[in-house]
């Protein structure tokens, strides 16, 4: 196989559309690269893939570490491939930029799904800010859709800002919870519950069954207090056991119900349009910034200004104004 450099954009696109996983992986590597030449090539590939994208269902899954996300995604993913679907699992884990090793990213996860020909699993790009991860994930979704993946699952840890980011790129948002831990213990903020289209209380097996059923009733009651959703969808609370494969089919049926409703009432398309508009502005913001900081004169002026600020010869505000006035 040719290297990334020797492979033409057209060859990439042709092979991605044929669901050639190795080309798909390498195209994602281009998307994730910070090398400008790689990014330029990635963008050419993306442009040609865009007409073949937008045809999957995108599901966000969040929950604190230990709630059972990877176990759940593994059985859920297997259930979907069993239905003949092609599933891509992507992760958004900004923690990988803050600490060595990520909360989500270890390789032993989802062993069965990894070996399923109809599943494609890609860990979160590492060493990135949340904004960087978001852009790369969005572009990766496009490539996976062009490769024919019908279901895109985006996993994140429910402890930071990343759920909002995931929410901004999926159609359906599923929150996994445990029955026996308070919300504070689970690090779940009210905002996340508000974003969720469904809450699945996991580990509903063995001695946990009674507790999970109780929690289900409590959550259902609590959800009633939230304002009605624009989608007209009434968020559901369900229980499941990822290890015992209980409630998995029902969760998929519920998600299907959501898609039927929102495609019928138009909310699905409205939300995607809204997300696309955000994507437009984020792309513009990114490009403006990257063009700006790569300019030689600007780089030199920034170095000079930092020295002047250190020597208290200029204040940061004036320095910034001066740099912004430089013609590019
Ligand atoms: P993640 O950190 O959210 O990805 O959680 P994992 O999928 O790694 O699961 C954390 C632990 O919970 C593991 O030891 C799993 O075996 C266990 N676990 C996951 N799902 C279930 C479940 O449905 N029932 C029970 N009893 N244990 C589970």
């Amino acid at each position: 196989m040719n290297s990334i450099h020797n492979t033409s954009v057209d060859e990439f696109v042709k092979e991605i559309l044929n669901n050639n996983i190795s080309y798909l992986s390498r195209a994602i590597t281009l998307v994730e690269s910070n090398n400008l030449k790689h990014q330029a090539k990635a963008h050419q590939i993306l442009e040609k893939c865009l007409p073949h994208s937008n045809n999957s269902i995108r599901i966000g899954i969040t929950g604190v570490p230990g709630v059972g996300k990877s176990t759940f995604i593994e059985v859920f993913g297997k259930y979907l491939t069993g239905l003949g679907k092609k599933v891509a699992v992507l992760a958004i884990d900004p923690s990988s930029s803050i600490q060595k090793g990520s909360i989500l990213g270890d390789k032993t996860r989802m062993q069965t799904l990894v070996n399923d020909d109809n599943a494609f699993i890609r860990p979160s790009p590492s060493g990135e800010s949340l904004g960087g991860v978001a852009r790369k994930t969005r572009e990766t979704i496009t490539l996976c859709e062009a490769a024919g993946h019908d279901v895109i699952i985006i996993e994140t840890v429910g402890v930071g800002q990343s759920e909002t980011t995931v929410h901004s790129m999926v159609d359906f948002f599923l929150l996994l919870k445990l029955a026996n831990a308070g919300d504070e213990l689970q690090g779940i903020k009210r905002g996340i519950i508000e974003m969720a289209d469904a809450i699945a209380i996991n580990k509903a097996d063995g001695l946990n069954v009674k507790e999970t059923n109780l929690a289900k009733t409590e959550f259902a009651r609590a959800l009633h207090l939230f304002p009605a959703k624009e989608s007209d969808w009434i968020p559901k609370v369900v229980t499941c056991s990822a290890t015992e494969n209980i409630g998995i089919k029902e969760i998929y049926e519920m998600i299907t119900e959501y898609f039927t409703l929102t495609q019928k009432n138009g909310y699905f398309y409205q939300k995607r349009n809204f997300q696309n508009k955000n994507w437009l502005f984020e792309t513009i913001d990114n490009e403006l910034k990257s063009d700006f900081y790569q300019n030689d004169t600007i780089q030199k002026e920034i170095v000079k200004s930092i020295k002047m600020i250190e020597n208290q010869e200029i204040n940061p505000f004036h320095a910034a104004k001066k740099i912004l006035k430089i013609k590019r």
Side-chain angles (χ1 to χ4, degrees):
M1 190 189 292
N2 288 329
S3 75
I4 279 182
H5 301 283
N6 295 333
T7 310
S8 69
V9 169
D10 285 341
E11 186 180 342
F12 262 115
V13 175
K14 181 172 150 262
E15 293 301 329
I16 290 170
L17 295 182
N18 277 335
N19 189 28
N20 184 327
I21 294 294
S22 102
Y23 278 82
L24 173 63
S25 292
R26 292 193 303 147
I28 298 173
T29 303
L30 287 175
V31 159
E32 290 176 353
S33 166
N34 288 325
N35 174 316
L36 289 180
K37 273 193 192 150
H38 288 171
Q39 282 185 11
K41 194 164 195 172
H43 287 161
Q44 287 176 309
I45 298 169
L46 269 170
E47 260 181 51
K48 294 197 169 179
C49 283
L50 268 169
H52 307 276
S53 71
N54 223 16
N55 40 12
S56 74
I57 62 171
R58 304 169 187 162
I59 303 170
I61 296 184
T62 192
V64 294
V67 72
K69 289 181 299 301
S70 50
T71 318
F72 177 86
I73 293 172
E74 171 127 290
V75 281
F76 187 60
K78 282 303 280 182
Y79 175 74
L80 295 173
T81 59
L83 294 178
K85 301 199 177 294
K86 286 197 166 59
V87 181
V89 181
L90 313 176
I92 290 195
D93 182 4
S95 64
S96 58
S97 65
I98 303 162
Q99 63 208 32
K100 275 215 178 91
S102 60
I103 302 181
L104 292 174
D106 72 73
K107 289 202 179 73
T108 51
R109 304 164 82 242
M110 305 179 204
Q111 280 299 329
T112 334
L113 203 56
V114 166
N115 294 318
D116 188 324
D117 284 345
N118 285 321
F120 176 77
I121 301 179
R122 184 87 179 187
S124 183
S126 59
E128 281 296 331
S129 64
L130 182 55
V133 177
R135 175 183 70 75
K136 291 171 181 187
T137 307
R138 215 170 252 135
E139 294 176 0
T140 301
I141 294 176
T142 302
L143 296 177
C144 290
E145 288 180 348
H149 287 94
D150 315 280
V151 183
I152 315 279
I153 295 175
I154 307 188
E155 177 191 12
T156 194
V157 265
V159 287
Q161 279 298 305
S162 56
E163 316 75 11
T164 316
T165 307
V166 172
H167 186 248
S168 76
M169 53 179 85
V170 298
D171 307 308
F172 188 93
F173 195 59
L174 176 67
L175 170 64
L176 287 186
K177 278 179 73 69
L178 295 175
N180 49 5
D183 279 355
E184 271 146 52
L185 263 180
Q186 295 196 40
I188 303 282
K189 287 183 252 100
R190 184 191 148 96
I192 302 176
I193 297 187
E194 212 162 348
M195 278 191 281
D197 296 301
I199 296 176
I201 304 164
N202 191 31
K203 308 198 185 181
D205 46 53
L207 296 172
N208 279 333
V209 173
K210 207 172 146 196
E211 247 177 326
T212 38
N213 282 335
L214 257 167
K216 178 180 162 179
T217 317
E218 269 171 35
F219 272 115
R221 200 178 302 135
L223 276 185
H224 265 308
L225 304 174
F226 285 104
K229 282 194 177 278
E230 224 183 304
S231 55
D232 282 343
W233 169 256
I234 299 163
K236 307 268 186 299
V237 186
V238 296
T239 59
C240 66
S241 165
T243 44
E244 302 299 317
N245 203 343
I246 299 169
I248 305 300
K249 175 172 173 267
E250 288 74 9
I251 288 178
Y252 180 62
E253 284 166 359
M254 169 185 70
I255 293 175
T256 310
E257 217 183 286
Y258 173 88
F259 279 92
T260 309
L261 171 83
T262 55
Q263 286 179 345
K264 206 165 145 198
N265 70 16
Y267 179 77
F268 171 86
Y269 307 100
Q270 212 179 307
K271 187 173 179 187
R272 285 225 173 162
N273 278 337
F274 179 75
Q275 291 174 337
N276 282 337
K277 263 187 253 167
N278 282 345
W279 191 7
L280 167 87
F281 286 115
E282 275 170 30
T283 309
I284 294 174
D285 285 353
N286 277 331
E287 298 275 317
L288 281 176
K289 257 197 198 163
S290 124
D291 277 359
F292 182 83
Y293 285 113
Q294 266 145 35
N295 181 288
D296 281 346
T297 322
I298 288 170
Q299 281 180 1
K300 280 184 198 134
E301 196 60 34
I302 288 178
V303 174
K304 215 167 98 192
S305 299
I306 292 173
K307 280 217 180 86
M308 289 174 76
I309 291 170
E310 281 167 359
N311 295 334
Q312 284 160 21
E313 289 164 7
I314 195 169
N315 73 49
F317 180 75
H318 277 124
K321 285 279 185 200
K322 210 172 130 200
I323 295 168
L324 283 165
K325 276 191 191 137
I326 295 172
K327 290 256 176 328
R328 279 169 288 138

